[in-house]
C-alpha cells in the first residue's frame, strides 16, 4: 500500500507573503495551504508545518513556535526572512532542525528544506507536477491543432472535439487548484490556444459555481470551447501583434465573431446555440458591443456567462505584450462593468471562480 500524500501546512504573517509561498508550492505539485492555527486533529503525522513570514523576535520565540507545531516539531520548517545568526543558534538549541539559513526566500529554497524533512514528499510533488504539465500541454496542443486545421480549411469542427477537451480539463482541474491550472495554461506559447483553454476552464468552474447540471455544463463548455473559432480567419500579424491595434486592425479583429458564426453554422451540431455565442460574446447589455449592438433583452444567459469568462481570461492571461493582471484587479474591472455591460447577478456568482483562481486565499469584493 502506497504512502498517502504529504500536506504542507503554512502558518505565519504577513498573510500575503505566506499565501504567496503556498501558491508557489501548489505550482510545484505539493498539496499546500495556509492555516490560521494547528488545532488538535487538523494535522496528520505525515504533514509538514512551515512557519513562514518575516522574523519577529516577540512573535517567533522558540517556546511559542514549539507550542504551535506541537508533535510535528520534528517535521517543522522555519522559513523566516530577516533572522539574525544568533536567533538561528537559539532555535537549533531548542531542537528545531530545519531552518532557512540563507537570504533566499524562493520556492526552490523552501523545496530544498522540504526535501530534508521528507524526500518522498518532493518525489510525490514532482510526479504530480509532471502529470499536470503533460495534461495542460495536451489541452493547449489540441486547441492549437484545431486552429491550424481551421486556417487551412474553415469547416465546422466535430462536436466530439469539445467533449475530449472537457474530459481533459475536468481531469486537470479536478487534480489541481484553479490557481495551479491557470499558471500551467498561461505558460503555453500559442496565444489563441491559451485564451480558448482559459475561457473553457473558467466556464467549467463557473458552471460548478452556478450549480449547473451535466447537460447544462456540457452546453456551456461547448459554447466556450468554440467561441473564438473565427480567429482562424484573422491574419496572424493582427492576432500576434506585440502592441495595441490601430483602427483598421481593430476592425479586422472584430470580424472574428462573424467568421466564427459562419464556420459553425455550416454544421447542424454547432449551427444553433454554439454559433450564436460565437457571434454574440462581445455584445454588452447597454448596446455598446459588437457586431450587432444587441441590448440586454436580446442577449441570452449562456452568452452572458461566456462573455464574463472571456473578459476575465483576457485580463488574467499572460501574453508576450502584457503581463497577466492579478485576479482581484481583473475582478474589479468586471465589477465596474456589472449592471451596464455585464449581468450583475452573474458577476456576483463569478466571485467564487475568482477566489478559486487565487488559491482560495484572498477575499474579493462582491458585486453590489
Amino acid at each position: 500500500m502506497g504512502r498517502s500524500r504529504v500536506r504542507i501546512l503554512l502558518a505565519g504573517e504577513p498573510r500575503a507573503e505566506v499565501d504567496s509561498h503556498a501558491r508557489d508550492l501548489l505550482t510545484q505539485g505539493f498539496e499546500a495551504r495556509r492555516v490560521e492555527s494547528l488545532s488538535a486533529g487538523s494535522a496528520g503525522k505525515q504533514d509538514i508545518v512551515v512557519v513562514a513570514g518575516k522574523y519577529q523576535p516577540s512573535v517567533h520565540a522558540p517556546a511559542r513556535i514549539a507550542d504551535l507545531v506541537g508533535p510535528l516539531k520534528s517535521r517543522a520548517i522555519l522559513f523566516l526572512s530577516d533572522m539574525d545568526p544568533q536567533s538561528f543558534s537559539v532555535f537549533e538549541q531548542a531542537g528545531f532542525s530545519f531552518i532557512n539559513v540563507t537570504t533566499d526566500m524562493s520556492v526552490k529554497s523552501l523545496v530544498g528544506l522540504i526535501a530534508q524533512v521528507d524526500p518522498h514528499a518532493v518525489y510525490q510533488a514532482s510526479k504530480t507536477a509532471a502529470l499536470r504539465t503533460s495534461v495542460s500541454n495536451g489541452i493547449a496542443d489540441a486547441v492549437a491543432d484545431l486552429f491550424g486545421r481551421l486556417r487551412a480549411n474553415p469547416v465546422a469542427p466535430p462536436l466530439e472535439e469539445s467533449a475530449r477537451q472537457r474530459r481533459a480539463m475536468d481531469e486537470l482541474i479536478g487534480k489541481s487548484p484553479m490557481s495551479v491550472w491557470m499558471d500551467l495554461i498561461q505558460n503555453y506559447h500559442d496565444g489563441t490556444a491559451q485564451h480558448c483553454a482559459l475561457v473553457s476552464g473558467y466556464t467549467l468552474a463557473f458552471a460548478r459555481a452556478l450549480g449547473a447540471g451535466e447537460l447544462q455544463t456540457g452546453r456551456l463548455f461547448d459554447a466556450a470551447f468554440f467561441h473564438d473559432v473565427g480567429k482562424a480567419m484573422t491574419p496572424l500579424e493582427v492576432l500576434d501583434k506585440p502592441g495595441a491595434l490601430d483602427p483598421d486592425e481593430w476592425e479586422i479583429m472584430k470580424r472574428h465573431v462573424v467568421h466564427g458564426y459562419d464556420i459553425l453554422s455550416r454544421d447542424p451540431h454547432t449551427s444553433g446555440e454554439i454559433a450564436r455565442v460565437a457571434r454574440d460574446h462581445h455584445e454588452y447589455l447597454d448596446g455598446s458591443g459588437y457586431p450587432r449592438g444587441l441590448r440586454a433583452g436580446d442577449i441570452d444567459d449562456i452568452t452572458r456567462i461566456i462573455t464574463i469568462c472571456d473578459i476575465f481570461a483576457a485580463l488574467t492571461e499572460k501574453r508576450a505584450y502584457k503581463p497577466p493582471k492579478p485576479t482581484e484587479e481583473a475582478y474589479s474591472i468586471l465589477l465596474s462593468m456589472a449592471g451596464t455591460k455585464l449581468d450583475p447577478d452573474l458577476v456576483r456568482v463569478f466571485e467564487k471562480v475568482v477566489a478559486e483562481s487565487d488559491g482560495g486565499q484572498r477575499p474579493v469584493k462582491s458585486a453590489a
Side-chain angles (χ1 to χ4, degrees):
M1 185 174 178
R3 289 180 55 180
S4 59
R5 277 185 65 79
V6 176
R7 296 182 303 171
I8 313 297
L9 308 177
L10 297 99
E13 296 289 343
R15 182 171 177 161
E17 188 173 328
V18 180
D19 284 344
S20 177
H21 292 321
R23 285 193 296 274
D24 287 343
L25 289 174
L26 286 169
T27 302
Q28 295 290 315
F30 291 92
E31 183 177 332
R33 63 185 177 90
R34 182 179 53 76
V35 293
E36 298 292 347
S37 63
L38 294 169
S39 56
S42 65
K45 292 181 180 180
Q46 289 188 324
D47 292 338
I48 296 173
V49 179
V50 178
V51 181
K54 185 174 182 179
Y55 175 64
Q56 302 176 59
S58 60
V59 174
H60 299 115
R64 186 171 182 176
I65 293 182
D67 287 341
L68 170 67
V69 300
L72 289 177
K73 185 177 181 179
S74 63
R75 294 176 68 81
I77 294 171
L78 302 185
F79 197 66
L80 299 165
S81 60
D82 301 333
M83 186 187 291
D84 58 273
Q86 185 176 355
S87 297
F88 290 133
S89 299
V90 172
F91 277 104
E92 286 177 336
Q93 291 169 12
F96 288 92
S97 303
F98 307 104
I99 309 171
N100 188 34
V101 295
T102 74
T103 58
D104 180 7
M105 303 304 293
S106 68
V107 68
K108 181 178 179 181
S109 181
L110 180 51
V111 171
L113 286 167
I114 294 171
Q116 293 179 45
V117 178
D118 190 337
H120 188 72
V122 178
Y123 171 70
Q124 287 179 321
S126 66
K127 287 207 307 182
T128 299
L131 175 61
R132 288 170 175 167
T133 300
S134 174
V135 175
S136 66
N137 283 344
I139 290 169
D141 285 344
V143 182
D145 177 67
L146 166 64
F147 277 86
R149 286 184 280 114
L150 284 169
R151 290 185 184 106
N153 182 24
V155 174
L159 199 57
E160 290 77 16
E161 291 213 27
S162 65
R164 286 193 293 269
Q165 288 293 75
R166 183 183 168 194
R167 288 193 295 270
M169 288 195 192
D170 271 333
E171 177 187 1
L172 182 57
I173 296 174
K175 293 181 178 179
S176 308
M178 283 289 293
S179 56
V180 172
W181 166 82
M182 192 167 73
D183 284 342
L184 288 167
I185 295 295
Q186 281 177 337
N187 289 326
Y188 197 73
H189 65 278
D190 185 289
T192 303
Q194 177 195 101
H195 177 72
C196 287
L198 280 172
V199 174
S200 300
Y202 286 138
T203 300
L204 274 180
F206 202 1
R208 191 165 57 240
L210 289 165
E214 182 72 15
L215 180 61
Q216 181 69 359
T217 297
R219 289 174 58 210
L220 285 166
F221 186 87
D222 291 344
F225 184 67
F226 292 116
H227 82 285
D228 260 351
V229 295
K231 285 184 177 177
M233 306 301 291
T234 304
L236 291 177
E237 57 268 26
V238 174
L239 281 177
D240 298 334
K241 183 177 179 180
L245 301 178
D246 64 33
D248 289 339
E249 290 167 333
W250 178 235
E251 288 302 316
I252 292 172
M253 177 66 83
K254 289 198 297 185
R255 292 176 199 158
H256 80 274
V257 296
V258 177
H259 293 317
Y261 181 77
D262 290 342
I263 292 170
L264 295 168
S265 294
R266 296 170 190 171
D267 188 285
H269 294 100
T270 57
S271 62
E273 184 175 69
I274 295 173
R276 288 198 305 274
V277 172
R279 180 190 62 196
D280 297 342
H281 68 275
H282 285 289
E283 300 284 4
Y284 293 139
L285 303 185
D286 61 3
S288 63
Y290 66 88
R292 298 189 294 160
L294 299 180
R295 290 189 171 272
D298 299 316
I299 304 173
D300 59 24
D301 287 343
I302 193 167
T303 303
R304 296 182 186 204
I305 290 168
I306 303 304
T307 298
I308 290 172
C309 295
D310 184 53
I311 294 170
F312 191 73
L315 292 169
T316 58
E317 65 194 6
K318 184 188 299 182
R319 291 290 181 87
Y321 57 85
K322 77 170 186 73
K325 288 189 181 298
T327 53
E328 288 184 57
E329 182 181 347
Y331 186 64
S332 292
I333 293 172
L334 290 184
L335 286 176
S336 71
M337 301 171 72
T340 53
K341 297 181 183 297
L342 304 176
D343 187 307
D345 293 330
L346 289 173
V347 171
R348 187 179 301 113
V349 177
F350 194 75
E351 178 183 8
K352 297 178 183 177
V353 179
V354 178
E356 288 182 28
S357 300
D358 203 27
Q361 300 291 345
R362 300 185 196 172
V364 291
K365 301 174 183 177
S366 295

